[in-house]
């Protein structure tokens, strides 16, 4: 008979009938950890599985279900396998939830409390294979301390990583993956230390350099440049998950606006001088920006087309506005259509096909020929119009009378003669002075 000691997976396949049921939760934070060593689970997941298996043996329990989140951060509780585990323990009788460490379950104190309460409500005891936590007061105290330490570790690590990335950018280093045309390279210095640096991609760098110089001439559009680069064989850099493929037009536009190619590094909105080799001279890069600005486009956006019905008609299926779109066939003939903006921008699930503008104009014309009003409506409209005209005429007459009165008043004031009068006080003062003055030739 095969025992758990003989076969570590026996408790998962066929747990003892008399053993208490337990579930195990395993987690690593990144996909790199999950795939380390070229295996499907890396090194950490099997180590956690072995630790939880031994803990289940100590408890006399059998692991009936295993939940693995490979490459999921514990900063958030929105993890698929964690959510599935909560639903499983709600639907099945489970005694224990075994984790390798408390920080495998959560690195956030609030999430830890909510997950622990959800397990308690289902009658499940949380057990750590590496820490002595249980439902006793001392165990709950240790659980709280370990959860707080896990949260502090996570927040402190994030701060340290941010500071390190900021310092690397200040020194001209490249954070993350270099853009197309460059390669992230790992080397060893004379002391055997690993040095991560950036080098030009010998296959793609010449094509990127040509693209900048060609667009700076002003003779190419972004879409034409995209077609030419695709025909020359420009492909994205392959990864273990994604094969090489042609670039999109939007990628070409972002490439042309990226200052990394002239030797600069942008981090958090701040520009630093990079240590990597510049692919194009600064004057060529600035000329490209001038051409992009002159074209007044982002990825050669289609020209705005005007029409007298534009903005007044809507899709009968989803209610979105109809916009004008011009299509050109292989012979160069242009056909004008009205298309649903909801379907065009994929905001709705509308299936309305494009309609020729000529057909829409005929439909609108036919519709207005069918629009009729009843005699009662005609009388009502006539009465409203007459009343409005009378009101406007009365207001106009009153305004005309007011303006005429003002004109007459101003003309009367203009024609009135100007009469100069001597101030009374000055006249009386002069009169009294003349009476008191003696004649110059008077004798005694």
């Amino acid at each position: 008979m095969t025992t758990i000691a003989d076969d570590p997976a026996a408790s998962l396949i066929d747990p003892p009938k008399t053993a208490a049921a337990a579930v195990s939760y395993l987690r690593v934070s990144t996909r790199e950890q999950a795939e380390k060593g070229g295996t499907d689970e890396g090194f950490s997941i099997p180590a956690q599985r072995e630790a939880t298996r031994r803990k289940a043996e100590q408890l006399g329990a059998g692991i009936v279900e295993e939940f693995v989140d490979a490459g999921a951060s514990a900063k958030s509780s929105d993890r698929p396998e964690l959510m599935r585990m909560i639903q499983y323990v709600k639907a099945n009788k489970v005694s224990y939830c075994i984790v390798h460490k408390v920080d495998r379950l959560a690195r956030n104190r609030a999430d830890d409390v909510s997950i622990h309460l959800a397990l308690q409500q289902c009658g499940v005891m949380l057990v750590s294979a590496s820490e002595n936590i249980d439902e006793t007061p001392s165990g709950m105290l240790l659980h709280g301390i370990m959860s707080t330490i896990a949260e502090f570790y996570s927040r402190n690590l994030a701060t340290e990583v941010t500071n390190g990335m900021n310092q690397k950018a200040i020194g001209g280093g490249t954070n993350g993956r270099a853009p197309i045309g460059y390669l992230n390279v790992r080397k060893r210095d004379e002391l055997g230390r690993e040095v991560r640096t950036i080098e030009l991609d010998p296959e793609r760098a010449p094509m990127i350099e040509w693209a900048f110089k060609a667009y700076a001439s002003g003779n190419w559009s972004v879409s034409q440049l995209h077609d030419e680069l695709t025909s020359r064989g420009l492909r994205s850099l392959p990864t273990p998950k994604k094969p090489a493929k042609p670039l999109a037009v939007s990628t070409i536009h972002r490439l042309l606006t990226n200052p990394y190619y002239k030797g600069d590094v942008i981090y958090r909105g701040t520009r630093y001088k990079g240590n990597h080799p510049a692919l194009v001279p600064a004057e060529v890069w600035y000329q490209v920006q001038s051409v992009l600005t002159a074209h007044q486009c982002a990825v050669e956006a289609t020209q705005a087309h005007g029409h007298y019905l534009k903005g007044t008609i809507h899709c009968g299926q989803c209610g979105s506005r109809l916009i004008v779109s011009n299509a050109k066939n292989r012979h160069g003939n242009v056909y004008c259509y009205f298309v649903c903006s909801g379907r065009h921008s994929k905001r709705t699930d509308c299936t309305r096909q494009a309609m020729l503008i000529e057909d829409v104009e005929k439909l609108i014309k036919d519709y207005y020929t069918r629009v009729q009003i009843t005699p009662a409506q005609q009388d009502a409209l006539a009465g409203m119009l007459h009343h409005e005209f009378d009101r406007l005429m009365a207001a106009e007459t009153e305004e005309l009378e007011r303006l005429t009165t003002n004109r007459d008043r101003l003309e009367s004031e203009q024609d009135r003669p100007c009469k100069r009068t001597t101030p009374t006080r000055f006249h009386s003062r002069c009169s009294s002075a003349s009476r008191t003055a003696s004649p110059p030739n008077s004798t005694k």
Side-chain angles (χ1 to χ4, degrees), residues 114-388:
S114 61
I115 296 170
H116 195 193
L117 287 176
L119 293 174
Q120 281 186 331
Q121 290 172 359
C122 299
V124 180
M125 178 182 294
L126 178 63
V127 178
S128 171
S130 305
E131 299 146 346
N132 188 23
I133 63 170
D134 50 34
E135 299 299 324
T136 63
S138 59
M140 295 180 67
L141 175 62
L142 179 61
H143 181 189
I145 293 173
M146 297 305 297
S147 298
T148 304
I149 291 175
E151 181 175 8
F152 166 76
Y153 173 80
S154 177
R155 292 178 180 269
N156 185 66
L157 180 62
T159 302
E160 294 296 330
V161 169
T162 301
N163 292 338
M165 294 177 69
N166 185 61
Q167 189 60 41
K168 184 176 182 179
I170 293 174
T174 301
N175 288 310
R177 188 177 179 183
I180 186 169
Y182 292 91
L183 295 174
N184 295 76
V185 179
R186 296 186 180 186
K187 294 183 177 181
R188 295 283 178 179
D189 61 8
E190 60 277 4
L191 300 178
R193 296 172 299 186
E194 183 182 75
V195 178
R196 299 185 182 186
T197 183
I198 303 296
E199 293 182 354
L200 292 176
D201 186 341
E203 179 185 351
R204 297 170 179 81
M207 288 187 280
I208 300 299
E209 183 181 4
W210 173 86
F212 271 94
K213 293 180 178 179
Y215 195 81
S217 67
N219 300 324
W220 295 76
S221 67
V222 175
S223 56
Q224 292 171 341
L225 199 65
H226 166 263
D227 295 339
E228 179 63 22
L229 289 172
T230 302
S231 66
R232 293 190 178 201
L234 180 62
R235 300 290 187 271
S236 62
L237 196 66
T239 65
K241 293 292 184 179
K242 297 180 181 179
K245 63 180 182 179
L247 305 182
V249 179
S250 58
T251 303
I252 299 297
H253 182 269
R254 287 196 301 270
L255 179 152
L256 293 173
T257 58
N258 192 346
Y260 192 89
Y261 291 98
K262 71 180 181 71
D264 291 342
V265 173
I266 305 296
Y267 182 72
R268 291 195 166 187
T270 304
R271 181 171 299 187
Y272 305 98
K273 182 63 179 176
N275 293 329
H276 61 280
L279 189 55
V280 296
E283 55 270 18
V284 174
W285 188 87
Y286 284 112
Q287 177 62 24
V288 168
Q289 309 316 303
S290 299
V291 175
L292 286 171
T293 303
H295 286 176
Q296 295 181 352
C297 67
V299 197
E300 252 70 38
T302 55
Q303 181 182 356
H305 306 291
H307 190 273
Y308 68 92
L309 290 176
K310 183 180 177 181
T312 61
I313 53 178
H314 298 74
C315 175
Q317 183 172 338
C318 67
S320 302
R321 290 184 182 273
L322 297 184
I323 58 177
V324 179
S325 175
N326 291 347
K328 183 185 295 185
N329 64 8
R330 60 181 179 176
H331 303 295
N333 299 325
V334 178
Y335 297 92
C336 302
Y337 291 91
F338 272 122
V339 297
C340 174
S341 61
R343 178 179 179 178
H344 180 73
S345 61
K346 297 181 180 180
R347 290 184 290 103
T348 65
D349 297 329
C350 183
T351 58
R352 169 76 67 183
Q353 299 292 330
M355 299 165 286
L356 282 170
I357 287 183
E358 296 178 359
D359 296 340
V360 175
E361 290 174 343
K362 291 178 182 178
L363 291 172
I364 296 293
K365 183 178 179 181
D366 294 341
Y367 172 76
Y368 278 112
T369 59
R370 297 194 305 269
V371 173
Q372 301 292 334
I373 57 177
T374 64
Q377 291 174 334
Q378 291 180 3
D379 294 339
L381 288 173
M384 292 172 59
L385 291 174
H386 285 306
H387 175 75
E388 184 65 17

